[in-house]
Amino acid sequence: MRTALGEAGRAALAGDVPVGAVVLSAAGEVLATAHNEREITGDPTGHAEIVALRRAARKTGEWRLTGCTLVVTLEPCVMCAGALVQSRVERVVYGARDEKAGAAGSLWDLVRDRRLNHRPEVIQGVLEDECSRQLTAFFRDR
């Protein structure tokens, strides 16, 4: 999560919402790191999770990220939750809850919806205070 927090700081420096993500292999190797890139790229899908999943898939040469863990500073939104299910990650670890748009337990629970073909494990609240403070400071300064 500390690596993801560092990535989130890079997003804030670029004027984007400070969200960072890391994809770990089943062996715990860092496959990819990323941060929000919507502002710098003009891409509405430039969320940290999506960017990290794309990079991890390129590195492994496989779209199925079976056995992988995605660590992210903010609870994934609906778009990112859908990508996590589609990529077949085994686990999602997040820091701050997102009561307005969270899709991994707060507002919705898309990643654990029994109607879907894959349901990753969800671990929430890891370094939650630090993740929340980073987001709060960013929006307060804006």
Side-chain angles (χ1 to χ4, degrees), residues 53-132:
L53 290 172
R54 286 179 182 151
R55 289 177 181 167
R58 270 196 304 273
K59 184 167 184 176
T60 63
E62 177 67 44
W63 66 266
R64 288 177 194 89
L65 297 175
T66 307
C68 291
T69 298
L70 180 117
V71 179
V72 63
T73 58
L74 179 64
E75 180 180 359
C77 69
V78 172
M79 175 181 68
C80 295
L84 291 164
V85 170
Q86 292 300 314
S87 67
R88 311 297 196 272
V89 298
E90 184 170 324
R91 182 175 306 102
V92 178
V93 178
Y94 71 84
R97 292 174 55 89
D98 187 348
E99 300 294 337
K100 295 180 181 178
S106 291
L107 187 57
W108 295 287
D109 200 355
L110 182 66
V111 294
R112 291 180 285 201
D113 189 314
R114 292 181 140 316
R115 296 168 291 183
L116 298 175
N117 63 332
H118 178 74
R119 291 177 298 281
E121 174 187 8
V122 176
I123 299 170
Q124 59 188 27
V126 175
L127 297 180
E128 183 173 12
D129 290 341
E130 286 183 52
C131 294
S132 294

